[in-house]
């Protein structure tokens, strides 16, 4: 909300710059802030003769073209603005601009890997865009409420009362060196009967809240706070507005917690946090609000009480009407930028304006930590306290008394994830792409709670976050998977391996098969577990970031559950699709071009084959080599009315089969590697609409086609460390009366080889897989050697088997 009038800022009216041409904006910003924007990125002057101006301009234009092809429009526009000054004379003659551009130009001229050279240019240009945007739209940021001015005085007068606490009808002062012990020892000075029912708090930890006190001139302590203790049931039945605070621990707090002794920085952090919170609460909530904050509400030095409260975190964060998310590193101007980005018309200038706000949110410490993620997943609504200490809060009155009004934090994240990120995909693809997974994803679906995550999604969320004890990541995953079960009584093992095994197998018993489908990333040999007794679905138990989940949300459940035999071996009912006979490796670059179609047709139409493939067989084979998932298939149908199956294409064009038969004949008659084969492949590409952009204006500056998506899949595997090229496998149906050979684009591990068996989980599908196209590759020892994501049955045969997975 706008602190001046309590409303979310108007969108188009607030930012008229969005309508200004991007070149005009960039040239003006470069004229005003060139030295600040280039910062330390300016290269030293050339020792030899300067590059010829014409050559520089020629290279820059090529780089600009390549950047636009990769949907990095803002980087391309910045390069163009650099070589033009406001009076249209070549800006490249400016020595500062010249030296900044030199590494980009030389890298492009001397690097044979054009893709790497462009990526290096993006990395060099994006900080400049961020700095220019900061200068234009964020320079008016107010400084945070700096309480440090009193820090030295407080720490010098160490025995002087700096804190006054009001507990029931008692009032006492606390010296600086006693602050931590007062809040963190138990029993201690804060222990009381329940302030609601007046009975002792026995057999459960007290739920302690803090609230503001009406200050008077004679109050001399730096901080004044009221402390209230209740049974949890008494708090729930009260009419008190109580707000749990979700925040990241500062390092000094961790140090003091481990040492169980006074720590100057930690004591000051507790005081500063308490003063900031209670001061902000008066405007944000009013004087009656109470806060549960683990700096003050949890006796950190009494482990039994601390652990008892940890198990109650699900209920604490779920049962409160709302949670306050404290983002002390999110600058105040970023909040209205993101809150107002729900329905803006995206332009290149709007994209430039929103880059720093998205960067600040995605790099926030809160987004990087694990326990706050769990806290938010459990809450009903959440509002924000920013770096300046201002609370951005929406109430029902803001939405015509709709009690299900969206909260500010969820609105902020959803706007960033669904609007800003998608808008930036059109103008700064590499910048947005690197930040897409840094947000909290489907956890923002508060109106559909509890949205059931699969374990793969939970691992993806938790893996990148930080926590003090690695084993706790498995506890967090368990909590995320069971948000509807608010009493955490599960005794998860302390050992990371046993904890992983326990959580994975619990998910499998619940018909969540994603533990089997997590794909390990390539790791150095000295850190890979080599124990042959280790189940092949637990190879990442020691490092969750060594796993990849790229299959999205689960859409449909598998038909049959898994079981465990008496020895603990996992058994699954699956359809046996066939045995791998050949593994072809296709170059990732080729898969995004018509030349990749040539290679695919050479696999599907091998020379000297006694049998020529039919048109339906060629279409099916190409669709498997160049796959779309269920979401992309639906997008193509909805936006462009595109179909890719043989039946669908034939229904649209009754001559389609004749055209494909003609292409097959011409292709097989042409010599391998000939221009005629390339010409035929281009025709097939056109007939099958593989080169048609499917996303309309959503990715207007990025050509989203079946070919480009195929290349993206391949480069994702390469980034994961997968060796060799993209595996295209020939798999033969096991039924003697059929023996159909089909192409399968499998995601193989390094251990996979010819002879491994391909199985399908009937009925199982995810948003980023093909419908009924999900399964495993398993070797003769029963160990997983790969997975199948895009391959529905290639024939009508069905061979059901019970498979031991070891």
């Amino acid at each position: 909300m706008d602190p001046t009038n309590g409303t979310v800022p108007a969108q188009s009216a607030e930012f008229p710059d969005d309508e200004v041409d991007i070149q005009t904006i960039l040239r003006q910003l470069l004229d005003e802030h060139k030295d600040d924007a280039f910062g330390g990125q300016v290269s030293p002057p050339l020792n030899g003769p300067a590059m010829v101006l014409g050559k520089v301009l020629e290279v820059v234009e090529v780089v600009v073209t390549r950047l636009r092809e990769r949907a990095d429009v803002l980087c391309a526009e910045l390069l163009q603005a650099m070589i033009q000054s406001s009076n249209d004379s070549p800006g490249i003659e400016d020595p500062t601009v010249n030296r900044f551009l030199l590494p980009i130009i030389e890298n492009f001229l001397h690097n044979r890997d054009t893709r790497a050279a462009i990526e290096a240019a993006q990395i060099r240009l994006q900080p400049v865009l961020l700095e220019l945007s900061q200068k234009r739209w964020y320079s008016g940021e107010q400084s945070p409420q700096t309480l440090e001015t009193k820090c030295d005085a407080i720490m010098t007068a160490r025995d002087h009362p700096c804190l006054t606490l009001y507990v029931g009808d008692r009032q006492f002062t606390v010296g600086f060196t006693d602050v931590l012990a007062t809040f963190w020892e138990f029993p201690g000075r804060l222990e009381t009967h329940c302030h609601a029912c007046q009975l002792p708090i026995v057999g459960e930890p007290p739920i302690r809240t803090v609230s503001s006190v009406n200050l008077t001139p004679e109050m001399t302590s730096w901080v004044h706070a009221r402390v209230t203790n209740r049974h949890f049931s008494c708090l729930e039945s009260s009419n008190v507005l109580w707000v749990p605070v979700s925040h990241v621990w500062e390092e000094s707090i961790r140090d003091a917690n481990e040492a169980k002794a006074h720590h100057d920085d930690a004591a000051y952090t507790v005081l500063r946090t308490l003063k900031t919170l209670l001061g902000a609460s008066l405007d944000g909530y009013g004087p009656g609000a109470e806060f549960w904050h683990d700096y003050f509400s949890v006796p950190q030095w009494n482990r039994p009480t601390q652990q008892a409260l940890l198990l109650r975190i699900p209920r604490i964060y779920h049962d409160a009407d709302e949670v306050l998310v404290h983002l002390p590193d999110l600058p105040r101007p970023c909040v209205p930028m993101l809150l107002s980005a729900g329905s803006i018309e995206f332009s290149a200038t709007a994209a430039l304006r929103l880059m720093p706000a998205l960067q600040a949110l995605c790099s926030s410490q809160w987004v990087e930590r694990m326990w706050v993620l769990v806290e938010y997943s459990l809450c009903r609504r959440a509002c924000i306290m920013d770096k300046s200490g201002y609370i951005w809060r929406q109430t029902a009155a803001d939405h015509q008394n709709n009690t299900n009004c969206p909260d500010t934090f969820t609105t902020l994240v959803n706007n960033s994830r669904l609007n800003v990120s998608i808008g930036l995909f059109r103008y700064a693809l590499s910048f947005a792409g690197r930040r897409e997974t840094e947000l909290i994803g489907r956890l923002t679906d508060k109106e559909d709670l509890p949205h059931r995550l699969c374990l793969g999604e939970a691992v993806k969320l938790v893996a990148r976050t930080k926590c003090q004890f690695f084993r706790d990541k498995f506890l967090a995953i368990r909590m995320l998977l069971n948000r509807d079960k608010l009493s955490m009584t599960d005794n998860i093992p302390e050992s990371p391996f046993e904890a992983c095994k326990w959580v994975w197998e619990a998910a499998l018993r619940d018909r969540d098969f994603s533990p089997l489908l997590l794909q390990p990333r390539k790791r150095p040999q000295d850190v890979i577990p080599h124990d042959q007794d280790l189940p092949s679905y637990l190879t990442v138990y020691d490092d969750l970031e060594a796993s990849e989940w790229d299959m999205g949300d689960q859409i449909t459940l598998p038909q049959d559950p898994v079981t465990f035999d008496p020895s603990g071996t996992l058994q699954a009912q699956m359809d046996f699709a066939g045995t791998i006979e050949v593994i072809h490796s296709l170059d990732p670059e080729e898969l995004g071009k018509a030349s990749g179609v040539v290679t695919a047709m050479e696999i599907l139409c091998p020379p000297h084959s006694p049998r020529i493939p039919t048109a339906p067989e060629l279409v099916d084979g190409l669709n498997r080599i160049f796959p779309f998932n269920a979401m992309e298939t639906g997008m193509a149908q909805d936006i462009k009315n595109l179909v890719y199956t043989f039946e669908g294409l034939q229904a649209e064009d009754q001559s389609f089969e004749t055209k494909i038969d003609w292409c097959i004949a011409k292709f097989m008659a042409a010599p391998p590697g000939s221009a005629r084969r390339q010409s035929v492949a281009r025709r097939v590409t056109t007939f099958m609409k593989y080169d048609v952009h499917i996303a309309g204006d959503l990715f207007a500056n990025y050509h989203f086609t079946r070919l480009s998506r195929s290349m993206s899949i391949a480069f994702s595997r390469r980034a994961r460390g997968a060796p060799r090229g993209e595996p295209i496998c020939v798999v033969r149906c096991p039924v003697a009366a059929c023996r159909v050979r089909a192409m399968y684009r499998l995601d193989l591990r390094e251990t996979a080889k010819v002879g491994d068996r391909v199985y399908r989980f009937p009925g199982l599908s995810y948003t980023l897989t093909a419908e009924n196209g999900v399964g495993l590759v398993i070797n003769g020892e029963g160990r997983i050697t790969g997975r199948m994501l895009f391959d529905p049955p290639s024939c009508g045969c069905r061979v059901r088997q019970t498979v031991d997975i070891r």
Side-chain angles (χ1 to χ4, degrees), residues 268-313:
Y268 179 68
T269 297
V270 168
L271 288 172
R272 183 196 64 209
T273 303
L274 184 58
K275 186 173 181 66
T276 301
L277 174 63
L278 297 184
S281 72
L282 294 175
D283 289 333
Y285 291 94
E290 299 181 16
F291 297 90
W292 189 93
H293 189 301
D294 59 9
Y295 283 5
F296 330 116
S297 304
V298 178
Q300 302 291 349
W301 291 347
N302 183 293
R303 183 166 176 79
T305 306
Q306 178 205 48
Q307 290 297 301
L309 283 166
L310 178 64
L311 292 176
R312 285 164 174 78
I313 279 180

Side-chain angles (χ1 to χ4, degrees), residues 140 180-181 191 210 270 273 330 333 335 370 380 432 504 519 528 549 578 608 646 673 682 707 747:
L180 297 183
E191 184 183 11
V210 295
V270 168
T273 303
L330 183 67
V335 181
M370 184 188 78
R380 303 177 186 182
W504 265 228
Q519 191 73 323
I528 300 176
W549 180 257
H608 314 300
F646 176 81
R682 283 194 293 271
L707 291 180
D747 187 4

